[in-house]
Amino acid sequence: MFERSTIRHCKQCGTAVSYRLPDDGDTRERAICPACHTIHYENPLNVVGTVPFWDDKVLLCKRNIEPRRGKWTLPAGFMELGETVAEGAARETHEESGAEIEMLDLFTIMNVVRVGQVHFFYRARLTSDRFDPGHETLEVRLFAEHEVPWDEIAFRTVRETLRCFFADRQRGRFELHQIDIA
Ligand SMILES: [Zn+2]
């Protein structure tokens, strides 16, 4: 049903689940345990990150992990329990780049329905141009618009966010962009 459906075994008792409509009137197929009857609900995951900038340049990280190892990305990752969207974005930025930032406004919110994800990127002002890449990152670099390796960007949401950033920068006004990724 969704590409992200990953539940194979019951989280309560370990029995292999089957996907079917629950008996409670629910209209979506769910992973249901035939032994203990637990219904496992799957919901979209939030991916949170930033567009860290320094003058007219944007910070990108070269990925040291799959998927897309060796490709460039904005710092981003899965939101954790116990944090806000902005806290998660700041944490991922620090973990992946070691950059010091001042968080600004939410900049893009993108539905990636096909994989059951929602991506949020905040603008973030770099307060230093010294970086300290974490283990998930091979290299951290600043790129002016004409230097961005557009064919080497890891994810469509990162490419869209970078396009919006440079377009808004050109106009001299930043606003929130809501985008549906097909
Ligand atoms: Zn079970």
Side-chain angles (χ1 to χ4, degrees):
M1 195 162 143
F2 298 107
E3 277 190 16
R4 196 177 68 79
S5 291
T6 54
I7 297 177
R8 302 262 184 274
H9 296 93
C10 177
K11 289 174 183 173
Q12 297 298 324
C13 73
T15 304
V17 300
S18 58
Y19 277 82
R20 65 174 177 81
L21 287 177
D23 303 323
D24 61 3
D26 195 340
T27 55
R28 285 175 181 267
E29 289 193 343
R30 309 286 182 187
I32 300 175
C33 176
C36 75
H37 310 295
T38 299
I39 302 172
H40 301 83
Y41 295 94
E42 294 168 273
N43 299 99
L45 291 173
N46 291 341
V47 171
V48 294
T50 62
V51 189
F53 61 93
W54 179 261
D55 293 334
D56 63 340
K57 296 185 173 182
V58 165
L59 177 151
L60 294 176
C61 299
K62 194 173 200 175
R63 289 173 63 81
N64 190 28
I65 50 171
E66 296 295 346
R68 321 278 164 84
R69 186 170 186 277
K71 303 290 189 192
W72 293 90
T73 186
L74 291 165
F78 289 111
M79 188 176 172
E80 299 284 359
L81 294 174
E83 66 187 10
T84 66
V85 177
E87 285 168 352
R91 175 184 52 74
E92 288 289 346
T93 304
H94 190 73
E95 286 176 4
E96 295 187 358
S97 70
E100 300 295 330
I101 55 168
E102 173 196 353
M103 290 289 286
L104 302 179
D105 292 335
L106 180 61
F107 183 57
T108 53
I109 173 168
M110 291 165 290
N111 293 295
V112 196
V113 173
R114 192 172 51 79
V115 293
Q117 297 177 358
V118 185
H119 293 209
F120 301 83
F121 285 88
Y122 285 76
R123 283 191 306 126
R125 181 179 289 115
L126 288 162
T127 56
S128 160
D129 61 354
R130 285 205 309 269
F131 313 120
D132 179 19
H135 70 280
E136 295 182 3
T137 305
L138 289 166
E139 184 185 351
V140 176
R141 263 183 61 189
L142 294 172
F143 293 88
E145 182 173 10
H146 69 275
E147 299 168 330
V148 171
W150 293 104
D151 295 335
E152 298 291 310
I153 299 297
F155 303 106
R156 172 109 183 262
T157 55
V158 170
R159 208 155 48 230
E160 294 285 343
T161 297
L162 288 171
R163 285 217 171 90
C164 290
F165 181 85
F166 288 117
D168 280 13
R169 194 173 191 290
Q170 184 83 20
R171 283 190 316 166
R173 181 164 50 91
F174 290 94
E175 57 186 34
L176 177 62
H177 299 264
Q178 304 181 56
I179 300 168
D180 295 336
I181 303 287

PDB file of all heavy atoms in Angstrom, residues 83-113:
ATOM      1  N   GLU A  83      11.595  16.299  21.205  1.00  0.00           N
ATOM      2  CA  GLU A  83      12.126  17.564  20.691  1.00  0.00           C
ATOM      3  C   GLU A  83      11.106  18.209  19.770  1.00  0.00           C
ATOM      4  O   GLU A  83      10.247  17.534  19.195  1.00  0.00           O
ATOM      5  CB  GLU A  83      13.463  17.354  19.953  1.00  0.00           C
ATOM      6  CG  GLU A  83      13.355  16.541  18.675  1.00  0.00           C
ATOM      7  CD  GLU A  83      14.716  16.211  18.065  1.00  0.00           C
ATOM      8  OE1 GLU A  83      15.753  16.449  18.708  1.00  0.00           O
ATOM      9  OE2 GLU A  83      14.724  15.697  16.930  1.00  0.00           O
ATOM     10  N   THR A  84      11.208  19.541  19.634  1.00  0.00           N
ATOM     11  CA  THR A  84      10.370  20.256  18.685  1.00  0.00           C
ATOM     12  C   THR A  84      10.984  20.128  17.294  1.00  0.00           C
ATOM     13  O   THR A  84      12.140  19.681  17.150  1.00  0.00           O
ATOM     14  CB  THR A  84      10.268  21.747  19.042  1.00  0.00           C
ATOM     15  OG1 THR A  84      11.574  22.333  18.874  1.00  0.00           O
ATOM     16  CG2 THR A  84       9.796  21.946  20.480  1.00  0.00           C
ATOM     17  N   VAL A  85      10.236  20.553  16.285  1.00  0.00           N
ATOM     18  CA  VAL A  85      10.755  20.507  14.911  1.00  0.00           C
ATOM     19  C   VAL A  85      12.044  21.333  14.814  1.00  0.00           C
ATOM     20  O   VAL A  85      13.044  20.880  14.264  1.00  0.00           O
ATOM     21  CB  VAL A  85       9.693  21.037  13.918  1.00  0.00           C
ATOM     22  CG1 VAL A  85      10.255  21.071  12.506  1.00  0.00           C
ATOM     23  CG2 VAL A  85       8.447  20.174  13.975  1.00  0.00           C
ATOM     24  N   ALA A  86      12.018  22.538  15.388  1.00  0.00           N
ATOM     25  CA  ALA A  86      13.194  23.417  15.304  1.00  0.00           C
ATOM     26  C   ALA A  86      14.380  22.840  16.090  1.00  0.00           C
ATOM     27  O   ALA A  86      15.524  22.913  15.638  1.00  0.00           O
ATOM     28  CB  ALA A  86      12.842  24.813  15.822  1.00  0.00           C
ATOM     29  N   GLU A  87      14.101  22.246  17.240  1.00  0.00           N
ATOM     30  CA  GLU A  87      15.187  21.629  18.024  1.00  0.00           C
ATOM     31  C   GLU A  87      15.821  20.473  17.251  1.00  0.00           C
ATOM     32  O   GLU A  87      17.045  20.306  17.254  1.00  0.00           O
ATOM     33  CB  GLU A  87      14.652  21.125  19.371  1.00  0.00           C
ATOM     34  CG  GLU A  87      14.381  22.242  20.371  1.00  0.00           C
ATOM     35  CD  GLU A  87      13.582  21.785  21.584  1.00  0.00           C
ATOM     36  OE1 GLU A  87      13.092  20.627  21.604  1.00  0.00           O
ATOM     37  OE2 GLU A  87      13.431  22.609  22.511  1.00  0.00           O
ATOM     38  N   GLY A  88      14.976  19.676  16.587  1.00  0.00           N
ATOM     39  CA  GLY A  88      15.496  18.569  15.788  1.00  0.00           C
ATOM     40  C   GLY A  88      16.360  19.067  14.645  1.00  0.00           C
ATOM     41  O   GLY A  88      17.425  18.502  14.352  1.00  0.00           O
ATOM     42  N   ALA A  89      15.909  20.119  13.977  1.00  0.00           N
ATOM     43  CA  ALA A  89      16.658  20.687  12.851  1.00  0.00           C
ATOM     44  C   ALA A  89      18.019  21.208  13.319  1.00  0.00           C
ATOM     45  O   ALA A  89      19.044  20.987  12.662  1.00  0.00           O
ATOM     46  CB  ALA A  89      15.845  21.809  12.205  1.00  0.00           C
ATOM     47  N   ALA A  90      18.033  21.871  14.469  1.00  0.00           N
ATOM     48  CA  ALA A  90      19.293  22.399  15.009  1.00  0.00           C
ATOM     49  C   ALA A  90      20.213  21.247  15.417  1.00  0.00           C
ATOM     50  O   ALA A  90      21.424  21.277  15.157  1.00  0.00           O
ATOM     51  CB  ALA A  90      19.006  23.303  16.209  1.00  0.00           C
ATOM     52  N   ARG A  91      19.652  20.222  16.041  1.00  0.00           N
ATOM     53  CA  ARG A  91      20.454  19.057  16.458  1.00  0.00           C
ATOM     54  C   ARG A  91      21.100  18.371  15.248  1.00  0.00           C
ATOM     55  O   ARG A  91      22.302  18.073  15.250  1.00  0.00           O
ATOM     56  CB  ARG A  91      19.560  18.056  17.219  1.00  0.00           C
ATOM     57  CG  ARG A  91      20.271  16.757  17.591  1.00  0.00           C
ATOM     58  CD  ARG A  91      19.333  15.750  18.248  1.00  0.00           C
ATOM     59  NE  ARG A  91      18.120  15.515  17.481  1.00  0.00           N
ATOM     60  CZ  ARG A  91      18.077  14.802  16.347  1.00  0.00           C
ATOM     61  NH1 ARG A  91      19.185  14.251  15.847  1.00  0.00           N
ATOM     62  NH2 ARG A  91      16.941  14.639  15.696  1.00  0.00           N
ATOM     63  N   GLU A  92      20.309  18.123  14.202  1.00  0.00           N
ATOM     64  CA  GLU A  92      20.854  17.462  13.009  1.00  0.00           C
ATOM     65  C   GLU A  92      21.965  18.302  12.387  1.00  0.00           C
ATOM     66  O   GLU A  92      22.964  17.775  11.912  1.00  0.00           O
ATOM     67  CB  GLU A  92      19.744  17.209  11.987  1.00  0.00           C
ATOM     68  CG  GLU A  92      18.779  16.105  12.367  1.00  0.00           C
ATOM     69  CD  GLU A  92      19.415  14.709  12.281  1.00  0.00           C
ATOM     70  OE1 GLU A  92      20.498  14.581  11.681  1.00  0.00           O
ATOM     71  OE2 GLU A  92      18.827  13.768  12.843  1.00  0.00           O
ATOM     72  N   THR A  93      21.774  19.609  12.386  1.00  0.00           N
ATOM     73  CA  THR A  93      22.772  20.501  11.802  1.00  0.00           C
ATOM     74  C   THR A  93      24.089  20.398  12.571  1.00  0.00           C
ATOM     75  O   THR A  93      25.167  20.300  11.983  1.00  0.00           O
ATOM     76  CB  THR A  93      22.252  21.951  11.820  1.00  0.00           C
ATOM     77  OG1 THR A  93      21.008  21.999  11.129  1.00  0.00           O
ATOM     78  CG2 THR A  93      23.254  22.892  11.166  1.00  0.00           C
ATOM     79  N   HIS A  94      23.965  20.392  13.889  1.00  0.00           N
ATOM     80  CA  HIS A  94      25.168  20.300  14.711  1.00  0.00           C
ATOM     81  C   HIS A  94      25.841  18.936  14.545  1.00  0.00           C
ATOM     82  O   HIS A  94      27.064  18.847  14.363  1.00  0.00           O
ATOM     83  CB  HIS A  94      24.836  20.562  16.180  1.00  0.00           C
ATOM     84  CG  HIS A  94      26.059  20.723  17.011  1.00  0.00           C
ATOM     85  ND1 HIS A  94      26.846  21.852  16.957  1.00  0.00           N
ATOM     86  CD2 HIS A  94      26.662  19.879  17.874  1.00  0.00           C
ATOM     87  CE1 HIS A  94      27.876  21.694  17.759  1.00  0.00           C
ATOM     88  NE2 HIS A  94      27.795  20.511  18.336  1.00  0.00           N
ATOM     89  N   GLU A  95      25.043  17.859  14.546  1.00  0.00           N
ATOM     90  CA  GLU A  95      25.614  16.504  14.437  1.00  0.00           C
ATOM     91  C   GLU A  95      26.339  16.299  13.110  1.00  0.00           C
ATOM     92  O   GLU A  95      27.397  15.677  13.058  1.00  0.00           O
ATOM     93  CB  GLU A  95      24.502  15.451  14.548  1.00  0.00           C
ATOM     94  CG  GLU A  95      23.958  15.264  15.954  1.00  0.00           C
ATOM     95  CD  GLU A  95      22.791  14.281  16.009  1.00  0.00           C
ATOM     96  OE1 GLU A  95      22.442  13.686  14.952  1.00  0.00           O
ATOM     97  OE2 GLU A  95      22.222  14.133  17.090  1.00  0.00           O
ATOM     98  N   GLU A  96      25.738  16.788  12.025  1.00  0.00           N
ATOM     99  CA  GLU A  96      26.282  16.454  10.706  1.00  0.00           C
ATOM    100  C   GLU A  96      27.377  17.408  10.247  1.00  0.00           C
ATOM    101  O   GLU A  96      28.223  17.033   9.435  1.00  0.00           O
ATOM    102  CB  GLU A  96      25.147  16.415   9.666  1.00  0.00           C
ATOM    103  CG  GLU A  96      24.173  15.282   9.975  1.00  0.00           C
ATOM    104  CD  GLU A  96      23.121  15.081   8.907  1.00  0.00           C
ATOM    105  OE1 GLU A  96      23.107  15.842   7.919  1.00  0.00           O
ATOM    106  OE2 GLU A  96      22.312  14.164   9.079  1.00  0.00           O
ATOM    107  N   SER A  97      27.358  18.644  10.743  1.00  0.00           N
ATOM    108  CA  SER A  97      28.325  19.625  10.231  1.00  0.00           C
ATOM    109  C   SER A  97      29.196  20.251  11.318  1.00  0.00           C
ATOM    110  O   SER A  97      30.241  20.825  11.015  1.00  0.00           O
ATOM    111  CB  SER A  97      27.576  20.751   9.501  1.00  0.00           C
ATOM    112  OG  SER A  97      26.870  21.541  10.441  1.00  0.00           O
ATOM    113  N   GLY A  98      28.764  20.166  12.565  1.00  0.00           N
ATOM    114  CA  GLY A  98      29.492  20.843  13.637  1.00  0.00           C
ATOM    115  C   GLY A  98      29.418  22.359  13.550  1.00  0.00           C
ATOM    116  O   GLY A  98      30.151  23.066  14.230  1.00  0.00           O
ATOM    117  N   ALA A  99      28.477  22.856  12.719  1.00  0.00           N
ATOM    118  CA  ALA A  99      28.375  24.305  12.522  1.00  0.00           C
ATOM    119  C   ALA A  99      27.685  24.973  13.705  1.00  0.00           C
ATOM    120  O   ALA A  99      26.826  24.375  14.360  1.00  0.00           O
ATOM    121  CB  ALA A  99      27.588  24.589  11.243  1.00  0.00           C
ATOM    122  N   GLU A 100      28.072  26.212  13.964  1.00  0.00           N
ATOM    123  CA  GLU A 100      27.383  27.036  14.951  1.00  0.00           C
ATOM    124  C   GLU A 100      26.359  27.884  14.202  1.00  0.00           C
ATOM    125  O   GLU A 100      26.705  28.567  13.227  1.00  0.00           O
ATOM    126  CB  GLU A 100      28.375  27.955  15.671  1.00  0.00           C
ATOM    127  CG  GLU A 100      29.472  27.211  16.423  1.00  0.00           C
ATOM    128  CD  GLU A 100      28.921  26.378  17.577  1.00  0.00           C
ATOM    129  OE1 GLU A 100      27.875  26.778  18.146  1.00  0.00           O
ATOM    130  OE2 GLU A 100      29.519  25.338  17.883  1.00  0.00           O
ATOM    131  N   ILE A 101      25.088  27.817  14.637  1.00  0.00           N
ATOM    132  CA  ILE A 101      24.029  28.513  13.888  1.00  0.00           C
ATOM    133  C   ILE A 101      23.107  29.296  14.809  1.00  0.00           C
ATOM    134  O   ILE A 101      22.991  28.997  15.994  1.00  0.00           O
ATOM    135  CB  ILE A 101      23.165  27.519  13.076  1.00  0.00           C
ATOM    136  CG1 ILE A 101      22.598  26.420  14.004  1.00  0.00           C
ATOM    137  CG2 ILE A 101      23.943  26.923  11.922  1.00  0.00           C
ATOM    138  CD1 ILE A 101      21.522  25.575  13.340  1.00  0.00           C
ATOM    139  N   GLU A 102      22.456  30.271  14.188  1.00  0.00           N
ATOM    140  CA  GLU A 102      21.319  30.948  14.816  1.00  0.00           C
ATOM    141  C   GLU A 102      20.092  30.562  14.001  1.00  0.00           C
ATOM    142  O   GLU A 102      20.018  30.839  12.802  1.00  0.00           O
ATOM    143  CB  GLU A 102      21.533  32.468  14.766  1.00  0.00           C
ATOM    144  CG  GLU A 102      20.364  33.288  15.226  1.00  0.00           C
ATOM    145  CD  GLU A 102      20.471  34.747  14.787  1.00  0.00           C
ATOM    146  OE1 GLU A 102      21.534  35.137  14.245  1.00  0.00           O
ATOM    147  OE2 GLU A 102      19.490  35.485  14.949  1.00  0.00           O
ATOM    148  N   MET A 103      19.118  29.889  14.633  1.00  0.00           N
ATOM    149  CA  MET A 103      17.935  29.421  13.916  1.00  0.00           C
ATOM    150  C   MET A 103      17.047  30.601  13.532  1.00  0.00           C
ATOM    151  O   MET A 103      16.747  31.464  14.354  1.00  0.00           O
ATOM    152  CB  MET A 103      17.136  28.454  14.790  1.00  0.00           C
ATOM    153  CG  MET A 103      17.808  27.119  15.014  1.00  0.00           C
ATOM    154  SD  MET A 103      17.842  26.070  13.539  1.00  0.00           S
ATOM    155  CE  MET A 103      16.124  25.547  13.458  1.00  0.00           C
ATOM    156  N   LEU A 104      16.593  30.612  12.268  1.00  0.00           N
ATOM    157  CA  LEU A 104      15.651  31.636  11.808  1.00  0.00           C
ATOM    158  C   LEU A 104      14.305  30.963  11.514  1.00  0.00           C
ATOM    159  O   LEU A 104      13.965  29.980  12.147  1.00  0.00           O
ATOM    160  CB  LEU A 104      16.228  32.369  10.592  1.00  0.00           C
ATOM    161  CG  LEU A 104      17.586  33.059  10.835  1.00  0.00           C
ATOM    162  CD1 LEU A 104      18.063  33.724   9.560  1.00  0.00           C
ATOM    163  CD2 LEU A 104      17.499  34.070  11.959  1.00  0.00           C
ATOM    164  N   ASP A 105      13.565  31.495  10.527  1.00  0.00           N
ATOM    165  CA  ASP A 105      12.200  31.016  10.299  1.00  0.00           C
ATOM    166  C   ASP A 105      12.146  29.690   9.541  1.00  0.00           C
ATOM    167  O   ASP A 105      13.047  29.353   8.780  1.00  0.00           O
ATOM    168  CB  ASP A 105      11.419  32.049   9.473  1.00  0.00           C
ATOM    169  CG  ASP A 105      11.162  33.315  10.259  1.00  0.00           C
ATOM    170  OD1 ASP A 105      11.137  33.241  11.507  1.00  0.00           O
ATOM    171  OD2 ASP A 105      10.998  34.372   9.634  1.00  0.00           O
ATOM    172  N   LEU A 106      11.009  28.992   9.721  1.00  0.00           N
ATOM    173  CA  LEU A 106      10.701  27.836   8.887  1.00  0.00           C
ATOM    174  C   LEU A 106      10.650  28.301   7.434  1.00  0.00           C
ATOM    175  O   LEU A 106      10.046  29.328   7.125  1.00  0.00           O
ATOM    176  CB  LEU A 106       9.350  27.226   9.300  1.00  0.00           C
ATOM    177  CG  LEU A 106       8.887  26.002   8.525  1.00  0.00           C
ATOM    178  CD1 LEU A 106       9.879  24.839   8.666  1.00  0.00           C
ATOM    179  CD2 LEU A 106       7.505  25.569   8.994  1.00  0.00           C
ATOM    180  N   PHE A 107      11.280  27.550   6.540  1.00  0.00           N
ATOM    181  CA  PHE A 107      11.433  28.016   5.158  1.00  0.00           C
ATOM    182  C   PHE A 107      10.717  27.132   4.139  1.00  0.00           C
ATOM    183  O   PHE A 107      10.036  27.627   3.251  1.00  0.00           O
ATOM    184  CB  PHE A 107      12.923  28.116   4.822  1.00  0.00           C
ATOM    185  CG  PHE A 107      13.210  28.639   3.456  1.00  0.00           C
ATOM    186  CD1 PHE A 107      12.721  29.880   3.051  1.00  0.00           C
ATOM    187  CD2 PHE A 107      13.954  27.903   2.558  1.00  0.00           C
ATOM    188  CE1 PHE A 107      12.966  30.365   1.784  1.00  0.00           C
ATOM    189  CE2 PHE A 107      14.207  28.385   1.279  1.00  0.00           C
ATOM    190  CZ  PHE A 107      13.713  29.615   0.899  1.00  0.00           C
ATOM    191  N   THR A 108      10.869  25.807   4.252  1.00  0.00           N
ATOM    192  CA  THR A 108      10.108  24.907   3.364  1.00  0.00           C
ATOM    193  C   THR A 108       9.437  23.815   4.193  1.00  0.00           C
ATOM    194  O   THR A 108       9.997  23.329   5.178  1.00  0.00           O
ATOM    195  CB  THR A 108      10.997  24.213   2.299  1.00  0.00           C
ATOM    196  OG1 THR A 108      12.090  23.558   2.928  1.00  0.00           O
ATOM    197  CG2 THR A 108      11.514  25.201   1.275  1.00  0.00           C
ATOM    198  N   ILE A 109       8.219  23.458   3.768  1.00  0.00           N
ATOM    199  CA  ILE A 109       7.539  22.277   4.300  1.00  0.00           C
ATOM    200  C   ILE A 109       7.083  21.480   3.091  1.00  0.00           C
ATOM    201  O   ILE A 109       6.400  22.004   2.208  1.00  0.00           O
ATOM    202  CB  ILE A 109       6.381  22.631   5.255  1.00  0.00           C
ATOM    203  CG1 ILE A 109       5.604  21.368   5.640  1.00  0.00           C
ATOM    204  CG2 ILE A 109       5.463  23.688   4.688  1.00  0.00           C
ATOM    205  CD1 ILE A 109       4.645  21.590   6.789  1.00  0.00           C
ATOM    206  N   MET A 110       7.552  20.226   3.014  1.00  0.00           N
ATOM    207  CA  MET A 110       7.347  19.434   1.803  1.00  0.00           C
ATOM    208  C   MET A 110       6.753  18.071   2.123  1.00  0.00           C
ATOM    209  O   MET A 110       7.314  17.310   2.912  1.00  0.00           O
ATOM    210  CB  MET A 110       8.686  19.266   1.078  1.00  0.00           C
ATOM    211  CG  MET A 110       9.164  20.587   0.481  1.00  0.00           C
ATOM    212  SD  MET A 110      10.899  20.525   0.023  1.00  0.00           S
ATOM    213  CE  MET A 110      11.596  20.483   1.673  1.00  0.00           C
ATOM    214  N   ASN A 111       5.614  17.779   1.502  1.00  0.00           N
ATOM    215  CA  ASN A 111       4.995  16.461   1.624  1.00  0.00           C
ATOM    216  C   ASN A 111       5.635  15.514   0.628  1.00  0.00           C
ATOM    217  O   ASN A 111       5.623  15.784  -0.580  1.00  0.00           O
ATOM    218  CB  ASN A 111       3.501  16.556   1.322  1.00  0.00           C
ATOM    219  CG  ASN A 111       2.761  17.363   2.362  1.00  0.00           C
ATOM    220  OD1 ASN A 111       2.686  16.959   3.522  1.00  0.00           O
ATOM    221  ND2 ASN A 111       2.242  18.505   1.961  1.00  0.00           N
ATOM    222  N   VAL A 112       6.198  14.414   1.125  1.00  0.00           N
ATOM    223  CA  VAL A 112       6.724  13.371   0.242  1.00  0.00           C
ATOM    224  C   VAL A 112       5.843  12.145   0.475  1.00  0.00           C
ATOM    225  O   VAL A 112       6.218  11.194   1.157  1.00  0.00           O
ATOM    226  CB  VAL A 112       8.206  13.068   0.517  1.00  0.00           C
ATOM    227  CG1 VAL A 112       8.811  12.283  -0.655  1.00  0.00           C
ATOM    228  CG2 VAL A 112       8.997  14.360   0.752  1.00  0.00           C
ATOM    229  N   VAL A 113       4.629  12.232  -0.099  1.00  0.00           N
ATOM    230  CA  VAL A 113       3.584  11.255   0.209  1.00  0.00           C
ATOM    231  C   VAL A 113       4.003   9.838  -0.171  1.00  0.00           C
ATOM    232  O   VAL A 113       3.719   8.879   0.539  1.00  0.00           O
ATOM    233  CB  VAL A 113       2.278  11.652  -0.522  1.00  0.00           C
ATOM    234  CG1 VAL A 113       1.216  10.566  -0.368  1.00  0.00           C
ATOM    235  CG2 VAL A 113       1.765  12.986   0.020  1.00  0.00           C
TER     236      VAL A 113
END
